[in-house]
Amino acid sequence: MKTLKNIFLIILTIGVLQSCVVSEKPNIDFFTNSKYDFKGVKFMSINVPTALAKSYIKKALKEDSENEETINLVKKASKIKVLTVANGSEKMINDYNQYLSDNHYEEWATIKHEGDNINIRVKQDGETIKNMLITVGSKQKELVFVDVKGNFTISDISKMINSVSVNN
């Protein structure tokens, strides 16, 4: 969990310090292409400039003594989008999960930590994973969605999940 929290904090810090695109409109497909009623929901989208983010994230992970699996995973990322949602609902999460299932995302791991649920889903093209979606939900109806595109192997993701699970 520490690794995922660090990645989220680093991405958000980069969003503030670097010239990335920050918007109050959602940047993840389910939320932009949905006829869902988002009344009362507040979004903050961050499109992270990957070229700038990679070196900063790798350096921060090394300083935090994170494992090589997580650092190697960051190296293979080609695009990172972050979406935070305030006032989300359980129904919205369930509908989002159904959307992912309908679009051939496979659930790889669910990690529970201090009341937060972290869900990792991937979309494969043969042996290559082209897209990884990480969802972090809390009891306070606050959600974080991280959409990571790249060329990952099954081994890359499994090692990262195992290292996060072992560290908690």
Side-chain angles (χ1 to χ4, degrees):
M1 181 65 189
K2 180 181 174 186
T3 302
L4 290 174
K5 282 185 180 179
N6 286 337
I7 290 173
F8 294 132
L9 290 173
I10 292 167
I11 290 170
L12 291 174
T13 302
I14 290 170
V16 172
L17 298 176
Q18 301 295 332
S19 60
C20 58
V21 178
V22 178
S23 171
E24 291 184 2
K25 295 181 181 179
N27 63 350
I28 293 183
D29 290 342
F30 169 75
F31 300 98
T32 57
N33 297 331
S34 178
K35 294 184 176 29
Y36 197 84
D37 180 14
F38 294 115
K39 187 175 184 179
V41 177
K42 295 184 182 186
F43 297 101
M44 179 180 286
S45 301
I46 304 169
N47 289 327
V48 181
T50 310
L52 297 173
K54 279 183 172 182
S55 61
Y56 184 79
I57 292 171
K58 288 187 290 190
K59 180 180 176 198
L61 290 173
K62 285 179 183 176
E63 288 173 359
D64 286 345
S65 302
E66 292 299 332
N67 58 38
E68 282 299 311
E69 287 84 10
T70 306
I71 294 169
N72 289 335
L73 193 68
V74 171
K75 290 178 183 178
K76 294 182 176 189
S78 61
K79 187 171 186 176
I80 302 169
K81 295 190 285 187
V82 178
L83 174 66
T84 62
V85 178
N87 298 326
S89 68
E90 191 70 33
K91 181 179 178 352
M92 183 176 65
I93 289 293
N94 292 337
D95 291 345
Y96 175 72
N97 288 333
Q98 184 61 49
Y99 168 83
L100 294 178
S101 293
D102 293 346
N103 286 281
H104 311 290
Y105 283 88
E106 298 175 40
E107 185 169 346
W108 272 41
T110 299
I111 303 166
K112 295 182 185 238
H113 180 70
E114 297 178 7
D116 292 341
N117 290 326
I118 302 164
N119 183 274
I120 300 172
R121 290 186 179 242
V122 299
K123 192 170 195 177
Q124 285 183 247
D125 182 14
E127 292 295 311
T128 303
I129 295 170
K130 297 287 188 180
N131 202 349
M132 179 173 49
L133 294 171
I134 303 168
T135 306
V136 180
S138 70
K139 292 179 182 177
Q140 292 82 24
K141 295 184 179 181
E142 295 175 357
L143 307 164
V144 177
F145 300 92
V146 181
D147 184 354
V148 182
K149 293 188 184 340
N151 286 309
F152 310 107
T153 65
I154 294 168
S155 178
D156 294 332
I157 306 295
S158 294
K159 286 178 184 176
M160 189 269 304
I161 290 169
N162 288 334
S163 70
V164 171
S165 298
V166 169
N167 289 335
N168 289 318

